[in-house]
Amino acid sequence: GMACFTPSESLRAVLQVSVPLMLSMAAVTVMEFTDRIFLSNYDLNAIAAAMPAGMLAFLFILLFANVAAYVNVFIAQYVGAGQPGKVGPVVWQGLYFSLFAWICLAVLGLCGPWIFDWSGHPPAIREQEVIYFRILCLGAGPHVAANCCAGFFAGLGRTRPILLLNLIGMVVNIPLDYALIYGRGPFPELGIRGAALATVACWALIFVLFLLLMAHPQWQRTYALWRSRGLRWRMARRLLRYALPSAAQMFLDMMAFAVFLLVVGRIGREELAVTNVLLSINSLTYMPSVGFSVGVSTLVGRALGGGRVAEARAAVVAARRLLLAYTAVLAAVFMVMPETIIGLFIPSDGGQAYAGVLTHGRILLRLVAFYVFFDCQYMVYVGALKGAGDTRFIMASIALGALVCMVAPVTLGVLYFGAGLYYCWGCAALFILVLFGLTAGRYRHGRWTRMRLVEAGGASAPLSASDPASSEFRQGP
């Protein structure tokens, strides 16, 4: 069974669920990373535009995608509590929400010119920002829906299909990206437009593959997915009640860094370029942390659904240890080889145009190597609190931290007091330390251990050995 809370069993459970999710996030990161390397070697204006426009687009896309993905916590708690019949309806409410999200994002994409008028960036950069932002928003619907489908498999602890499909997306995206940016083979040279189109095409491919997997008779038989396709307002409201504050955490986190990027862009083009490069490198630790966070949410949700608090705590401890070990390796590389890593973003004929990027980047990469230790632990604690449904606290803490540590001091410092690049990055590090302190304190307080998402009534009945959902769930991925 899954009632495991010895250290070795917890470690195994975390590895089974979280490592495929971590590798999935790494695959997504590699897609973005290569995208930016291609663009930075293609044109300095293109990379200067891609990071703020991409971050602003993902700011809104991920708000909707994370609402849809929160079905994973409901599914984990329902199956842990012996209510597999509720799984199909939850998935469908997530898919209906994804359709609504697509309409909202398409409207937002058409507002790109007005949004980037405010940035004050040079016209050549602004023009490319609008193109990149618009295409990503117009094509984001399948990405939101794919996150809902991934939530189905994550909630069951079956995370390998998520990894497989993201790897397929990565394998298709990288050559397609290169061909569309530079105009290779039968494709025209589209620059930043090509980068956006390649991303959107891969989102659509991943969603279609998810649908094909979910059509398998195994899932239809156990969770009655197709038969559960009705719109259920009460369940939809319940999902949104917990999912919106959960998604707001990622939204506010990204919003703080989007404002950070836009304001740093006002200091100068070189400062904007070095910040783009550092945030791209930082994603090598951040995105896998997100994968572990989702895995912890699943394991905590499953354990709490069945009333096993010790198992939930053990999963958190195991995840922290694993993620700290991974982060230590990357941080060591950042400290020892900063020039080599930053050099990936500098073309061989870059010369003096990129000299400042290397100088500032070498210093600031050491700051990144310091704060990523706190960032990864913060993400584990967030995963635990989300798995219990303590999403309002997460939303409130990040709203406070973003305003006090990032948005207000960076904006006021740069616009009114002439603050520079190092001051801005100091604010970013403080923001992460404060978030770590707040979530660690909340986790240790223990209120999350008494919270449940599943409806009162049939909540804590364990699955019988003869129930097909029991064998599905307890076998693990």
Side-chain angles (χ1 to χ4, degrees):
M2 288 303 302
C4 59
F5 46 83
T6 68
S8 62
E9 288 174 323
S10 298
L11 205 63
R12 192 160 58 248
V14 169
L15 285 168
Q16 283 184 330
V17 175
S18 295
V19 169
L21 287 169
M22 175 180 168
L23 293 172
S24 300
M25 295 296 173
V28 171
T29 304
V30 168
M31 284 165 59
E32 293 177 12
F33 199 68
T34 51
D35 193 27
R36 287 166 191 162
I37 288 174
F38 288 147
L39 285 174
S40 63
N41 285 278
Y42 178 76
D43 176 39
L44 195 58
N45 284 336
I47 186 60
M51 193 72 184
M55 186 170 255
L56 202 59
F58 280 108
L59 178 67
F60 294 102
I61 292 166
L62 286 179
L63 173 65
F64 291 108
N66 284 314
V67 171
Y70 198 74
V71 299
N72 90 295
V73 175
F74 274 79
I75 290 166
Q77 288 210 16
Y78 278 132
V79 181
Q83 300 183 50
K86 298 283 181 66
V87 169
V90 167
V91 173
W92 276 100
Q93 306 324 300
L95 289 173
Y96 290 133
F97 173 81
S98 302
L99 184 59
F100 165 75
W102 196 356
I103 297 166
C104 296
L105 288 165
V107 171
L108 183 70
L110 298 175
C111 298
W114 294 282
I115 293 169
F116 288 98
D117 275 343
W118 178 84
S119 71
H121 295 170
I125 293 176
R126 180 194 161 280
E127 181 187 344
Q128 297 202 46
E129 285 172 335
V130 171
I131 291 166
Y132 197 61
F133 179 80
R134 178 176 289 165
I135 294 171
L136 289 177
C137 287
L138 289 173
H143 181 60
V144 177
N147 271 266
C148 175
C149 298
F152 166 71
F153 288 103
L156 299 178
R158 297 290 188 109
T159 51
R160 288 176 193 170
I162 303 170
L163 171 60
L164 175 66
L165 299 197
N166 277 301
L167 285 175
I168 291 170
M170 181 188 80
V171 168
V172 172
N173 178 262
I174 293 172
L176 186 62
D177 215 17
Y178 177 74
L180 286 171
I181 291 171
Y182 289 97
R184 299 289 187 261
F187 299 101
E189 182 182 334
L190 296 174
I192 199 167
R193 183 180 278 107
L197 288 170
T199 300
V200 166
C202 289
W203 285 346
L205 172 66
I206 290 169
F207 174 55
V208 169
L209 293 174
F210 264 124
L211 289 182
L212 292 173
L213 275 184
M214 291 170 73
H216 192 282
Q218 176 187 16
W219 308 121
Q220 296 299 327
R221 186 172 60 250
T222 308
Y223 303 110
L225 288 179
W226 182 247
R227 293 204 305 275
S228 307
R229 63 188 180 274
L231 182 60
R232 306 192 184 193
W233 287 107
R234 190 175 168 192
M235 183 174 273
R237 282 197 304 271
R238 191 171 181 79
L239 174 64
L240 290 175
R241 179 182 157 199
Y242 290 98
L244 281 171
S246 169
Q249 174 258 331
M250 196 71 82
F251 176 80
L252 291 167
D253 193 352
M254 285 196 69
M255 188 193 73
F257 277 98
V259 171
F260 176 75
L261 259 180
L262 289 170
V263 174
V264 167
R266 287 177 173 259
I267 302 174
R269 189 175 80 160
E270 193 173 81
E271 286 79 2
L272 179 62
V274 75
T275 298
N276 289 337
V277 168
L278 286 166
L279 288 177
S280 297
I281 294 167
N282 186 38
S283 68
L284 291 172
T285 56
Y286 178 72
M287 293 307 286
S289 295
V290 174
F292 260 80
S293 189
V294 174
V296 168
S297 292
T298 298
L299 292 168
V300 167
R302 176 194 305 186
L304 293 184
R308 302 185 301 275
V309 174
E311 182 184 326
R313 287 189 185 277
V316 174
V317 171
R320 268 188 68 220
R321 288 175 179 167
L322 286 165
L323 204 48
L324 280 170
Y326 167 79
T327 303
V329 173
L330 270 184
V333 173
F334 294 168
M335 294 293 284
V336 175
M337 305 164 56
E339 292 91 349
T340 308
I341 295 170
I342 293 162
L344 292 171
F345 293 85
I346 298 177
S348 53
D349 59 348
Q352 277 304 112
Y354 286 85
V357 173
L358 189 59
T359 305
H360 295 310
R362 190 189 305 125
I363 296 165
L364 288 171
L365 193 55
R366 293 191 167 95
L367 176 66
V368 173
F370 163 72
Y371 76 59
V372 288
F373 284 102
F374 299 93
D375 202 18
C376 73
Q377 292 181 80
Y378 160 68
M379 293 303 294
V380 171
Y381 289 133
V382 162
L385 298 177
K386 284 185 178 181
D390 195 8
T391 54
R392 290 184 185 177
F393 170 81
I394 295 168
M395 180 177 70
S397 62
I398 199 163
L400 180 68
L403 181 64
V404 173
C405 301
M406 275 276 276
V407 176
V410 169
T411 306
L412 294 173
V414 171
L415 298 186
Y416 298 102
F417 299 103
L421 183 65
Y422 297 116
Y423 166 82
C424 292
W425 273 92
C427 291
L430 176 64
F431 174 52
I432 287 158
L433 291 173
V434 166
L435 289 181
F436 164 74
L438 290 171
T439 49
R442 180 71 166 189
Y443 173 80
R444 292 199 168 94
H445 182 265
R447 182 173 180 268
W448 63 276
T449 61
R450 301 184 295 277
M451 300 179 74
R452 301 291 182 274
L453 291 176
V454 294
E455 296 90 336
S460 58
L463 292 174
S464 69
S466 61
D467 192 323
S470 172
S471 57
E472 290 300 333
F473 200 68
R474 293 171 189 271
Q475 282 167 6

